[in-house]
Structures are given as structure tokens and as C-alpha cells.
Amino acid sequence: MVAKVPAIAPTVDILLGNLEDGVPVAEKEAARAGLVTVGKTVQMGDTQLWTRINSLDSPWALDDLTTLVTEIGNDLDVIMIPKVEGPEDIHYADRLVAQLEARAGLTRPILFHAILETARGVSNVEDICGASPRMQGISLGPADLAANRRMKTTRVGGGHPDYVVQGDPPAGADGVPDISAERSRSQQDLWHYTIARMVDACVTHGILPFYGPFGDIADTVACEAQFRNAYLLGCVGAWSLHPKQIDIAKRVFSPAPEAVAQAQRVIDAMGDGTGAIMLDGKMEDDASVKQCHVVVELAKAL
């Protein structure tokens, strides 16, 4: 994995050094030391280097923070904190990292990114977002959250074929609904509520919402659909578990050229952005022109 870093770095916005659950217990210290080596020796260019430390209630979190802040320091952009349950977790990490930054003589603060992986974390998401000026954003952690909620799915992100809206039965020859007849079914998004609540909390506090991982690496079609749901709801990006998901994320989280062109057309037609007009049979007003500015400004930023 480390050998691939120089080739992958130019293709992504962020590279995340994962020290948490993806690393076996016996390899925790070696993984930490390996990340320090990467931080000191690999040129990232414009790509940010993040780390996901072990959870704050684990035996490794204190050494993760102490080692990474003091040894990588200014080359570490963001610390991702898993399984955040409430603002107290951010307060603890904030105070500790401030002390370590002072000791190491860092020239800028390292930011925090929290993962929503428990029901309590979702319940406290607004307070988590506002817990520190270091907060950069929040990501959804669907697998751990599903387990904590006792959701009956073994998938990592995405929908489930049994979570559906069932169409009404068609009428039989006698005019009575035939409940045994074939009827339409529409698979629903298990994560719609959580993503929407996370986006609202992040926007309220001026930080960035991210979709989490999509575990079925072979199913690129379903991955694209889940990423697009998150994009439409307001997320700014998603985590790739495999290089084949990088191009999907780039495509999905960038507005389509035709959408940008239409949004610019509405903006041009609206003049100062007030009032209401009819364009192609659709009403456009001050609210819709604000929506169009979101699309155009994202395109310009990209």
C-alpha cells in the first residue's frame, strides 16, 4: 500500500492513513510507525495527508495523538476521530492536541474530522459539529453505525433489497385488489435520514459533510448510486476503499456540464436575482437562483 502512495496521491484530494479497526491489534504500533515514515518521506504535493486514529476509549489513541502530532506535525492536515459520541470527545482531543502542538512548535493547528458511528453520536451531531474551531467535517460510518443501531444488514453502505416501498396491489377481474399479484417495489436508502441530519448539522456550523465508504467494491453501479444520493443531499465527497472508486467519486461529486450550463442560464436570466420569471415553462425565482449559484460556484471551485 505504501509503495502505491506516490502514484495515487495526485489522483485524490486526501490520503488517509488508517490506524483503527482495519489494523490488527498486533500491528497497531507498526502501523503507527509506518505512517510516521510516510509523513516524513513521501511527497504529497497538493494532496492532504490525514490519519484515522484509534477510538479515544482504546489503549492506542493517546500514543497515536502524541506520536503523530509531535513527529509528523505540520505535514499532517487532519486527524479523523472515530466513534465520536458527543462534544466531550472533541473537547478532550482538542485540549490534548493543543498541548502537543505547543510542545512541537507547530505553525498551524491540525484540524479534526469526526465519524458518526453510533446512535449516540447521531443524537449529538449538532453539538459535535460545534465542539471546536478545529472541526473540519464529519463522515458517515455506516457499518459500525448499523451494528450499534442493531440494523439487520451486513452491507457496508448502500441500500438493502428488503428495505422497500411496496406498491398497491392491482385490481383483479372482480375489481377486488389481488394481493398475490405482481406489484411494483422500490428499494429505499437506509442512510437518507442520517445523511440529511449530518448535512444540516455541518452546514449550521460551517463544516463539511462526507459520505463514508461503500463496501461492495465490485458493484460500481451501486457505488455510484449511493455516492450520487449523498451528493444530492449536500455531501462534498466520499471515501474510496479501492482505486476503482476514485473516478466514480470524482464524476459524481462534480456537477454535470449540462447542469452547470442550465444553472448559469437561469442566473443570467434572473438579473439581480430578485423577482420571478418563466423560463422554458418553469418558474424561476430568488430561491431557485440561489440553488443555481450552488451548482455554478461548485463548478468554479473545481
Side-chain angles (χ1 to χ4, degrees):
M1 289 183 182
V2 172
K4 296 176 182 178
V5 167
I8 293 178
T11 71
V12 295
D13 299 304
I14 298 161
L15 273 173
L16 178 72
N18 179 23
L19 303 180
E20 199 215 4
D21 293 347
V23 178
V25 170
E27 298 175 16
K28 293 288 189 185
E29 294 185 4
R32 185 191 303 129
L35 181 55
V36 169
T37 299
V38 169
K40 288 181 174 180
T41 62
V42 178
Q43 296 300 312
M44 295 289 175
D46 293 331
T47 298
Q48 290 195 349
L49 176 63
W50 293 23
T51 181
R52 179 167 71 179
I53 63 170
N54 289 281
S55 61
L56 297 178
D57 60 356
S58 75
W60 306 286
L62 179 60
D63 286 340
D64 288 345
L65 290 171
T66 302
T67 301
L68 297 175
V69 174
T70 58
E71 296 195 30
I72 300 180
N74 288 322
D75 291 319
L76 183 63
D77 294 283
V78 177
I79 295 171
M80 177 182 271
I81 305 175
K83 300 178 178 65
V84 174
E85 300 248 68
E88 66 278 3
D89 291 336
I90 303 300
H91 295 161
Y92 164 77
D94 192 355
R95 184 67 59 89
L96 176 58
V97 168
Q99 294 170 331
L100 295 169
E101 287 171 339
R103 176 193 293 178
L106 301 192
T107 57
R108 59 167 179 78
I110 297 172
L111 302 183
F112 291 164
H113 187 98
I115 317 181
L116 287 188
E117 299 182 274
T118 68
R120 184 167 177 259
V122 175
S123 295
N124 291 325
V125 64
E126 288 85 1
D127 291 336
I128 292 168
C129 287
S132 168
R134 294 182 189 273
M135 287 297 296
Q136 180 272 350
I138 291 194
S139 287
L140 175 68
D144 279 290
L145 180 56
N148 186 259
R149 283 175 167 170
R150 302 188 186 93
M151 294 168 65
K152 310 307 185 288
T153 176
T154 56
R155 300 180 175 205
V156 179
H160 194 285
D162 293 335
Y163 190 69
V164 300
V165 168
Q166 181 75 61
D168 291 336
D174 57 0
V176 177
D178 181 5
I179 62 171
S180 62
E182 191 74 24
R183 53 177 115 170
S184 62
R185 289 163 59 91
S186 179
Q187 183 170 311
Q188 303 298 293
D189 185 357
L190 290 167
W191 307 107
H192 182 91
Y193 157 78
T194 307
I195 294 173
R197 182 164 182 183
M198 179 182 74
V199 168
D200 285 347
C202 286
V203 171
T204 298
H205 291 276
I207 66 176
L208 302 176
F210 285 54
Y211 182 72
F214 186 87
D216 191 347
I217 292 168
D219 194 346
T220 54
V221 174
C223 176
E224 180 164 343
Q226 183 64 73
F227 282 5
R228 182 163 283 107
N229 287 350
Y231 166 75
L232 290 171
L233 282 172
C235 290
V236 302
W239 293 101
S240 303
L241 295 179
H242 187 276
K244 69 168 60 175
Q245 295 180 339
I246 293 172
D247 286 340
I248 296 173
K250 283 186 171 182
R251 181 170 64 253
V252 168
F253 287 92
S254 305
E258 57 270 21
V260 179
Q262 177 61 21
Q264 187 62 58
R265 187 163 169 257
V266 173
I267 292 169
D268 293 341
M270 282 292 295
D272 65 1
T274 62
I277 63 170
M278 292 296 292
L279 189 64
D280 301 330
K282 299 178 182 178
M283 187 200 76
E284 306 288 357
D285 61 7
D286 59 331
S288 56
V289 81
K290 291 174 186 174
Q291 293 177 291
C292 292
H293 276 294
V294 170
V295 174
V296 171
E297 287 167 11
L298 174 58
K300 288 178 178 178
L302 292 171

Short mmCIF file of all heavy atoms in Angstrom, two decimals, residues 9-43:
data_model
loop_
_atom_site.label_atom_id
_atom_site.label_comp_id
_atom_site.label_asym_id
_atom_site.label_seq_id
_atom_site.Cartn_x
_atom_site.Cartn_y
_atom_site.Cartn_z
N ALA A 9 -1.49 9.52 -4.90
CA ALA A 9 -1.64 10.86 -4.33
C ALA A 9 -2.12 11.91 -5.32
O ALA A 9 -3.02 12.69 -5.00
CB ALA A 9 -0.33 11.30 -3.67
N PRO A 10 -1.58 11.98 -6.54
CA PRO A 10 -2.04 13.04 -7.47
C PRO A 10 -3.47 12.84 -7.95
O PRO A 10 -4.04 13.75 -8.55
CB PRO A 10 -1.06 12.92 -8.65
CG PRO A 10 0.11 12.15 -8.14
CD PRO A 10 -0.44 11.22 -7.11
N THR A 11 -4.07 11.67 -7.71
CA THR A 11 -5.40 11.39 -8.25
C THR A 11 -6.51 11.67 -7.24
O THR A 11 -7.69 11.55 -7.59
CB THR A 11 -5.51 9.91 -8.69
OG1 THR A 11 -5.52 9.05 -7.54
CG2 THR A 11 -4.35 9.53 -9.59
N VAL A 12 -6.16 12.02 -6.00
CA VAL A 12 -7.17 12.20 -4.95
C VAL A 12 -6.92 13.51 -4.22
O VAL A 12 -5.86 14.12 -4.32
CB VAL A 12 -7.14 11.02 -3.94
CG1 VAL A 12 -7.54 9.73 -4.61
CG2 VAL A 12 -5.78 10.89 -3.28
N ASP A 13 -7.93 13.94 -3.47
CA ASP A 13 -7.80 15.16 -2.65
C ASP A 13 -7.14 14.86 -1.31
O ASP A 13 -6.46 15.71 -0.73
CB ASP A 13 -9.19 15.76 -2.39
CG ASP A 13 -9.87 16.15 -3.69
OD1 ASP A 13 -9.28 16.94 -4.44
OD2 ASP A 13 -10.99 15.67 -3.94
N ILE A 14 -7.38 13.65 -0.79
CA ILE A 14 -6.93 13.28 0.56
C ILE A 14 -6.44 11.85 0.53
O ILE A 14 -7.05 10.98 -0.10
CB ILE A 14 -8.11 13.37 1.57
CG1 ILE A 14 -8.66 14.79 1.67
CG2 ILE A 14 -7.69 12.86 2.95
CD1 ILE A 14 -10.06 14.84 2.27
N LEU A 15 -5.34 11.58 1.22
CA LEU A 15 -4.92 10.21 1.52
C LEU A 15 -5.02 10.02 3.04
O LEU A 15 -4.49 10.83 3.81
CB LEU A 15 -3.50 9.94 1.05
CG LEU A 15 -3.35 9.48 -0.40
CD1 LEU A 15 -1.88 9.41 -0.78
CD2 LEU A 15 -4.00 8.11 -0.61
N LEU A 16 -5.69 8.95 3.44
CA LEU A 16 -5.96 8.70 4.86
C LEU A 16 -5.15 7.52 5.36
O LEU A 16 -5.30 6.39 4.87
CB LEU A 16 -7.46 8.42 5.04
CG LEU A 16 -7.89 8.09 6.47
CD1 LEU A 16 -7.85 9.32 7.34
CD2 LEU A 16 -9.29 7.49 6.47
N GLY A 17 -4.27 7.77 6.33
CA GLY A 17 -3.54 6.70 6.98
C GLY A 17 -4.40 6.12 8.10
O GLY A 17 -4.60 6.74 9.13
N ASN A 18 -4.89 4.91 7.89
CA ASN A 18 -5.83 4.30 8.82
C ASN A 18 -5.10 3.49 9.88
O ASN A 18 -4.42 2.51 9.57
CB ASN A 18 -6.81 3.41 8.05
CG ASN A 18 -7.81 2.73 8.96
OD1 ASN A 18 -8.09 3.20 10.06
ND2 ASN A 18 -8.34 1.60 8.51
N LEU A 19 -5.26 3.87 11.13
CA LEU A 19 -4.66 3.13 12.24
C LEU A 19 -5.70 2.35 13.03
O LEU A 19 -5.34 1.61 13.94
CB LEU A 19 -3.95 4.10 13.20
CG LEU A 19 -2.87 4.99 12.58
CD1 LEU A 19 -2.26 5.89 13.65
CD2 LEU A 19 -1.79 4.15 11.90
N GLU A 20 -6.97 2.50 12.68
CA GLU A 20 -8.04 1.99 13.54
C GLU A 20 -8.38 0.53 13.27
O GLU A 20 -7.50 -0.32 13.21
CB GLU A 20 -9.27 2.90 13.40
CG GLU A 20 -10.26 2.77 14.55
CD GLU A 20 -11.70 2.92 14.10
OE1 GLU A 20 -11.97 3.05 12.90
OE2 GLU A 20 -12.56 2.88 14.98
N ASP A 21 -9.68 0.23 13.05
CA ASP A 21 -10.14 -1.15 13.07
C ASP A 21 -9.61 -1.99 11.91
O ASP A 21 -9.63 -3.22 11.98
CB ASP A 21 -11.67 -1.19 13.06
CG ASP A 21 -12.26 -0.64 14.35
OD1 ASP A 21 -11.49 -0.47 15.32
OD2 ASP A 21 -13.48 -0.38 14.38
N GLY A 22 -9.16 -1.35 10.83
CA GLY A 22 -8.60 -2.11 9.73
C GLY A 22 -7.22 -2.68 10.02
O GLY A 22 -6.68 -3.44 9.21
N VAL A 23 -6.65 -2.32 11.17
CA VAL A 23 -5.31 -2.78 11.54
C VAL A 23 -5.42 -3.78 12.70
O VAL A 23 -5.99 -3.45 13.75
CB VAL A 23 -4.42 -1.59 11.98
CG1 VAL A 23 -3.04 -2.08 12.41
CG2 VAL A 23 -4.30 -0.57 10.86
N PRO A 24 -4.91 -5.00 12.55
CA PRO A 24 -4.96 -5.97 13.65
C PRO A 24 -4.25 -5.45 14.90
O PRO A 24 -3.31 -4.66 14.81
CB PRO A 24 -4.25 -7.20 13.09
CG PRO A 24 -4.33 -7.04 11.59
CD PRO A 24 -4.30 -5.57 11.34
N VAL A 25 -4.68 -5.92 16.05
CA VAL A 25 -4.13 -5.45 17.32
C VAL A 25 -2.62 -5.61 17.37
O VAL A 25 -1.90 -4.71 17.82
CB VAL A 25 -4.80 -6.21 18.49
CG1 VAL A 25 -4.07 -5.93 19.80
CG2 VAL A 25 -6.27 -5.83 18.61
N ALA A 26 -2.12 -6.71 16.89
CA ALA A 26 -0.68 -6.98 16.96
C ALA A 26 0.14 -6.05 16.07
O ALA A 26 1.37 -5.96 16.24
CB ALA A 26 -0.40 -8.43 16.58
N GLU A 27 -0.51 -5.33 15.15
CA GLU A 27 0.21 -4.49 14.21
C GLU A 27 -0.03 -3.00 14.44
O GLU A 27 0.37 -2.17 13.62
CB GLU A 27 -0.19 -4.87 12.77
CG GLU A 27 0.18 -6.31 12.43
CD GLU A 27 -0.32 -6.73 11.06
OE1 GLU A 27 -0.68 -5.85 10.26
OE2 GLU A 27 -0.36 -7.94 10.79
N LYS A 28 -0.67 -2.64 15.55
CA LYS A 28 -1.01 -1.24 15.79
C LYS A 28 0.23 -0.36 15.85
O LYS A 28 0.28 0.70 15.22
CB LYS A 28 -1.79 -1.11 17.11
CG LYS A 28 -3.17 -1.74 17.10
CD LYS A 28 -4.15 -0.94 16.25
CE LYS A 28 -5.56 -1.45 16.42
NZ LYS A 28 -6.52 -0.76 15.53
N GLU A 29 1.22 -0.76 16.60
CA GLU A 29 2.42 0.08 16.75
C GLU A 29 3.21 0.16 15.45
O GLU A 29 3.73 1.22 15.09
CB GLU A 29 3.28 -0.45 17.89
CG GLU A 29 2.60 -0.31 19.26
CD GLU A 29 3.51 -0.72 20.40
OE1 GLU A 29 4.70 -1.02 20.14
OE2 GLU A 29 3.03 -0.73 21.55
N ALA A 30 3.26 -0.95 14.72
CA ALA A 30 3.98 -0.95 13.44
C ALA A 30 3.27 -0.05 12.43
O ALA A 30 3.91 0.67 11.65
CB ALA A 30 4.09 -2.37 12.90
N ALA A 31 1.94 -0.06 12.45
CA ALA A 31 1.18 0.79 11.53
C ALA A 31 1.43 2.25 11.84
O ALA A 31 1.60 3.08 10.93
CB ALA A 31 -0.31 0.47 11.63
N ARG A 32 1.45 2.59 13.12
CA ARG A 32 1.71 3.98 13.52
C ARG A 32 3.10 4.42 13.06
O ARG A 32 3.27 5.52 12.50
CB ARG A 32 1.57 4.12 15.03
CG ARG A 32 1.69 5.56 15.54
CD ARG A 32 1.82 5.58 17.06
NE ARG A 32 0.71 4.92 17.71
CZ ARG A 32 0.84 3.99 18.64
NH1 ARG A 32 2.04 3.60 19.03
NH2 ARG A 32 -0.23 3.45 19.20
N ALA A 33 4.09 3.57 13.29
CA ALA A 33 5.46 3.91 12.88
C ALA A 33 5.55 4.03 11.36
O ALA A 33 6.25 4.90 10.83
CB ALA A 33 6.43 2.84 13.39
N GLY A 34 4.81 3.18 10.65
CA GLY A 34 4.81 3.25 9.20
C GLY A 34 4.21 4.55 8.69
O GLY A 34 4.70 5.14 7.72
N LEU A 35 3.15 5.02 9.36
CA LEU A 35 2.52 6.28 8.95
C LEU A 35 3.46 7.46 9.21
O LEU A 35 3.52 8.40 8.40
CB LEU A 35 1.21 6.49 9.70
CG LEU A 35 0.44 7.76 9.34
CD1 LEU A 35 0.16 7.85 7.85
CD2 LEU A 35 -0.87 7.83 10.13
N VAL A 36 4.20 7.41 10.29
CA VAL A 36 5.19 8.46 10.55
C VAL A 36 6.23 8.50 9.43
O VAL A 36 6.59 9.58 8.93
CB VAL A 36 5.88 8.23 11.91
CG1 VAL A 36 7.09 9.16 12.07
CG2 VAL A 36 4.90 8.45 13.05
N THR A 37 6.67 7.34 8.98
CA THR A 37 7.64 7.27 7.89
C THR A 37 7.06 7.87 6.62
O THR A 37 7.73 8.64 5.91
CB THR A 37 8.07 5.82 7.64
OG1 THR A 37 8.68 5.30 8.82
CG2 THR A 37 9.06 5.73 6.48
N VAL A 38 5.81 7.53 6.31
CA VAL A 38 5.16 8.10 5.13
C VAL A 38 5.09 9.62 5.24
O VAL A 38 5.40 10.35 4.31
CB VAL A 38 3.75 7.50 4.95
CG1 VAL A 38 2.96 8.28 3.90
CG2 VAL A 38 3.84 6.03 4.57
N GLY A 39 4.66 10.11 6.41
CA GLY A 39 4.52 11.54 6.60
C GLY A 39 5.83 12.29 6.45
O GLY A 39 5.86 13.44 5.99
N LYS A 40 6.92 11.65 6.82
CA LYS A 40 8.23 12.31 6.76
C LYS A 40 8.91 12.19 5.40
O LYS A 40 9.76 13.02 5.06
CB LYS A 40 9.16 11.70 7.82
CG LYS A 40 8.80 12.10 9.25
CD LYS A 40 9.80 11.47 10.23
CE LYS A 40 9.58 11.96 11.65
NZ LYS A 40 10.54 11.37 12.61
N THR A 41 8.55 11.15 4.62
CA THR A 41 9.35 10.86 3.43
C THR A 41 8.62 10.97 2.10
O THR A 41 9.26 11.17 1.06
CB THR A 41 9.94 9.43 3.52
OG1 THR A 41 8.86 8.47 3.57
CG2 THR A 41 10.81 9.29 4.76
N VAL A 42 7.29 10.84 2.11
CA VAL A 42 6.56 10.82 0.84
C VAL A 42 6.06 12.23 0.52
O VAL A 42 5.41 12.88 1.34
CB VAL A 42 5.37 9.83 0.90
CG1 VAL A 42 4.59 9.87 -0.42
CG2 VAL A 42 5.87 8.42 1.18
N GLN A 43 6.33 12.69 -0.69
CA GLN A 43 5.87 14.00 -1.13
C GLN A 43 4.42 13.89 -1.61
O GLN A 43 4.13 13.17 -2.56
CB GLN A 43 6.76 14.52 -2.26
CG GLN A 43 8.21 14.76 -1.84
CD GLN A 43 8.30 15.79 -0.73
OE1 GLN A 43 7.69 16.86 -0.80
NE2 GLN A 43 9.06 15.48 0.30
#
